[in-house]
Each structure stands twice: as C-alpha cells, then as structure tokens.
Amino acid sequence: MIKYINKTPLPSEFNFLNEAVGWGVRNENIVKEALENTLYSLCVYDDDQIIGYGRILGDKTIFLYINDIMVIPSYQSKHIGSKIMECLINQINIYKKVNPNIRTYLGASKGMEAFYERFGFISRPNEDLGAGMILY
C-alpha cells in the first residue's frame, strides 16, 4: 500500500532514491546535514520500501525552493510524482498565509519542464524575469 508521510528520510533511503533516478550517491554525513536543514520533507513508501521523495527548502516567508522530486523508475508514470507535487504545493499554500507573495523556485531536470508547468511553474527567462542561474 502506498503511503505519503511527512517525515525526513534516512540518509540511506535518500541515497537509494538518488541512485535509482541516476543522480548518484553522496556521503551519508553530507546527506544527513542537508536533510536536517530541510524545511519540509515528504516520503512515499510502498509498504516499508521508500519509492519517492520531495522536499522544500527556504525561510518560510520570502523564499522557497522545491528540491529532489524523485520516484524510482518502476513507480514512475503512476502519478506518484504528481501527488508529491500536490502535497508540496499544499504546504506552500500554508506558508503563503504569512506572505502571499512568497517566491517558490525549482530546478527542473532536463526534459521535465512540462511536468512542472502543470503546477503553475514558468520557465525563465521570460518577459518579466531574468534567467535562472546556478553557481558551480
């Protein structure tokens, strides 16, 4: 049975998902610290096996960032990623009660832009906003 649970995954679970979606494995101490600094976490389990995850980073009032939307390949195309996004958007709407103008960002994996557009995200640059950028 598939369950959506507001909780922080174990570093080993996080690495399992990262490896399953092709993002590699990180040192568990680094993963542990990153997860401790997460604002909101949502784990998806099938029985006791983690199969998906998503999280929100930010300060809860001005800035939010949706990160690490992951669903293992054998569960993809079953609307699990969509449900993760719906749950994260619901949490964002709670934060918006403090500041309706809070900005929510995300970095879409290449080819996944249309998935996020279904939730109201737009690509940058556009007429109003400059390019999204990253520091390597």
Side-chain angles (χ1 to χ4, degrees), residues 7-15 18 27-43 50 53-57 67-68 70:
K7 72 173 276 240
T8 302
L10 298 171
S12 59
E13 292 176 316
F14 185 87
N15 271 333
N18 262 289
N27 177 291
E28 286 200 2
N29 290 329
I30 290 171
V31 171
K32 181 179 181 293
E33 184 171 345
L35 294 173
E36 288 171 354
N37 288 300
T38 297
L39 187 57
Y40 179 84
S41 281
L42 183 74
C43 294
I50 194 162
Y53 179 66
R55 66 183 177 142
I56 300 172
L57 309 173
N67 200 42
D68 296 323
M70 301 180 280

Side-chain angles (χ1 to χ4, degrees), residues 7-9 17 26 37 41 58 60 73 85 88 96 109 111-112 124 134:
K7 72 173 276 240
T8 302
L17 292 169
R26 294 182 175 93
N37 288 300
S41 281
K60 288 178 33 177
M85 283 299 295
L88 296 182
K96 282 186 171 189
S109 295
M112 293 300 295
R124 294 177 70 175
I134 188 170

Side-chain angles (χ1 to χ4, degrees), residues 2-133:
I2 295 181
K3 301 172 285 200
Y4 296 79
I5 303 170
N6 174 12
K7 72 173 276 240
T8 302
L10 298 171
S12 59
E13 292 176 316
F14 185 87
N15 271 333
F16 167 76
L17 292 169
N18 262 289
E19 182 72 20
V21 300
W23 295 348
V25 173
R26 294 182 175 93
N27 177 291
E28 286 200 2
N29 290 329
I30 290 171
V31 171
K32 181 179 181 293
E33 184 171 345
L35 294 173
E36 288 171 354
N37 288 300
T38 297
L39 187 57
Y40 179 84
S41 281
L42 183 74
C43 294
V44 185
Y45 291 90
D46 188 356
D47 293 322
D48 293 329
Q49 176 64 50
I50 194 162
I51 60 165
Y53 179 66
R55 66 183 177 142
I56 300 172
L57 309 173
D59 59 25
K60 288 178 33 177
T61 55
I62 297 171
F63 159 82
L64 299 172
Y65 188 88
I66 293 177
N67 200 42
D68 296 323
I69 305 299
M70 301 180 280
V71 177
I72 63 173
S74 60
Y75 285 84
Q76 291 175 6
S77 300
K78 296 181 181 192
H79 306 290
I80 293 168
S82 295
K83 179 71 173 170
I84 291 171
M85 283 299 295
E86 289 170 10
C87 292
L88 296 182
I89 297 293
N90 287 341
Q91 184 64 35
I92 289 165
N93 287 334
I94 292 170
Y95 299 140
K96 282 186 171 189
K97 291 177 182 176
V98 174
N99 176 12
N101 298 314
I102 195 167
R103 290 260 177 126
T104 302
Y105 300 89
L106 65 79
S109 295
K110 190 172 179 92
M112 293 300 295
E113 296 86 356
F115 172 78
Y116 295 107
E117 287 170 355
R118 294 189 343 228
F119 298 94
F121 286 87
I122 59 170
S123 294
R124 294 177 70 175
N126 64 32
E127 192 173 302
D128 296 323
L129 301 169
M133 301 178 79

